[in-house]
């Protein structure tokens, strides 16, 4: 049996399942469901197995939640290739 993890008290202030239902971004929804699973079971190992992700991924989610709260679970803007078209060309 996996050992329980010490969770921050802040985790019990949210209904992560309801937040996941309202979320449109799939990655953020997965993180919210992971937090819901941690709320219920308290085990990083069981959560990782249930979501088919590595335990380190769940640890990273939990650390981001501890540092930044609910905002830490949201998908952040990723950099990419700079657009070669000007704004006017994109509008056309």
């Amino acid at each position: 049996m996996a050992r329980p993890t010490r969770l921050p008290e802040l985790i019990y202030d949210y209904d992560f399942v309801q937040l996941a239902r309202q979320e449109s971004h799939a990655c953020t929804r997965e993180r919210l469901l992971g937090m819901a699973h941690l709320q219920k079971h308290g085990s990083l190992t069981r959560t990782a197995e249930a979501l088919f992700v590595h335990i380190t991924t769940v640890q990273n989610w939990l650390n981001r939640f501890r540092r930044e709260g609910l905002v830490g679970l949201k998908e952040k803007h990723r950099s990419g290739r700079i657009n070669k078209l000007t704004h006017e060309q994109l509008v056309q």
Side-chain angles (χ1 to χ4, degrees):
M1 184 169 157
R3 70 181 169 103
T5 304
R6 292 187 61 195
L7 300 175
E9 290 298 318
L10 182 63
I11 200 169
Y12 299 105
D13 294 344
Y14 298 101
D15 182 5
F16 290 107
V17 175
Q18 184 63 32
L19 291 170
R21 286 183 182 142
Q22 297 170 354
E23 181 60 45
S24 61
H25 199 281
C27 292
T28 303
R29 191 169 43 247
E30 182 180 30
R31 291 182 198 113
L32 291 170
L33 290 175
M35 291 294 115
H37 200 277
L38 275 174
Q39 256 182 352
K40 186 173 182 180
H41 300 288
S43 168
L44 294 173
T45 307
R46 286 179 69 181
T47 301
E49 290 171 356
L51 296 174
F52 299 102
V53 296
H54 198 272
I55 189 171
T56 307
T57 304
V58 180
Q59 287 173 332
N60 290 339
W61 295 344
L62 186 58
N63 288 335
R64 283 173 53 184
F65 181 75
R66 282 185 176 132
R67 277 193 320 269
E68 303 172 36
L70 195 58
V71 177
L73 299 176
K74 299 281 184 181
E75 186 68 16
K76 294 182 176 43
H77 177 71
R78 297 178 188 209
S79 62
R81 182 171 174 239
I82 297 173
N83 202 340
K84 291 185 178 183
L85 299 176
T86 65
H87 181 68
E88 292 78 24
Q89 290 172 328
L90 286 173
V91 171
Q92 288 179 345

